[in-house]
């Protein structure tokens, strides 16, 4: 992590600026990711860790299929958003409009002597 600042002297970094970038290096695969904020760093490390966990759970055919789908969706984010909107719309159209009948609704109250 570097604390270089373009407006401060090298011996006294400007505390308002903080660090300018950090590089994450994965010990498992050697990937390197450089980010400019602490929030981005934490998000990057978490996402990379989760990706390793996902890879471990999937078999080679599942990995290839998921990678193919992600390549299509990530190359056109508007396609992914529109596809999800269609899925949500279809789910609403296919969902039951009334709740399932309560079996107790058919019981009639009787009074007096039974």
């Amino acid at each position: 992590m570097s604390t270089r600042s373009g407006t401060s002297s090298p011996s006294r970094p400007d505390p308002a600026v903080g660090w300018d970038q950090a590089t994450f290096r994965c010990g498992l695969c050697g990937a390197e990711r450089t980010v400019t904020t602490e929030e981005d760093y934490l998000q990057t490390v978490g996402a990379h860790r989760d990706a390793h966990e996902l890879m471990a759970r999937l078999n080679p055919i599942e990995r290839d299929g998921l990678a193919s789908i992600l390549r299509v969706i990530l190359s056109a984010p508007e396609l992914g958003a529109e596809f999800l909107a269609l899925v949500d719309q279809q789910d609403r159209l296919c969902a039951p409009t009334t709740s399932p009948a309560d079996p107790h609704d058919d019981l009639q109250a009787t009074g007096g002597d039974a």
Side-chain angles (χ1 to χ4, degrees), residues 29-79:
C29 69
E32 290 189 14
R33 307 286 187 266
T34 301
V35 295
T36 57
T37 68
E38 183 177 6
E39 182 179 335
D40 288 345
Y41 183 83
L42 295 173
Q43 186 175 14
T44 297
V45 171
H48 191 80
R49 180 197 60 233
D50 292 348
H52 272 291
E53 290 175 8
L54 179 60
M55 286 282 292
R57 287 194 310 247
L58 300 176
N59 67 45
I61 293 171
E62 292 169 331
R63 283 193 300 261
D64 289 346
L66 181 58
S68 177
I69 292 166
L70 287 174
R71 283 187 183 99
V72 170
I73 298 300
L74 293 176
S75 70
E78 66 282 354
L79 170 64

Side-chain angles (χ1 to χ4, degrees), residues 1-4 17-22 35-39 41:
M1 200 171 348
S2 172
T3 58
R4 285 175 288 149
V17 174
W19 50 279
D20 60 356
Q21 70 178 22
V35 295
T36 57
T37 68
E38 183 177 6
E39 182 179 335
Y41 183 83

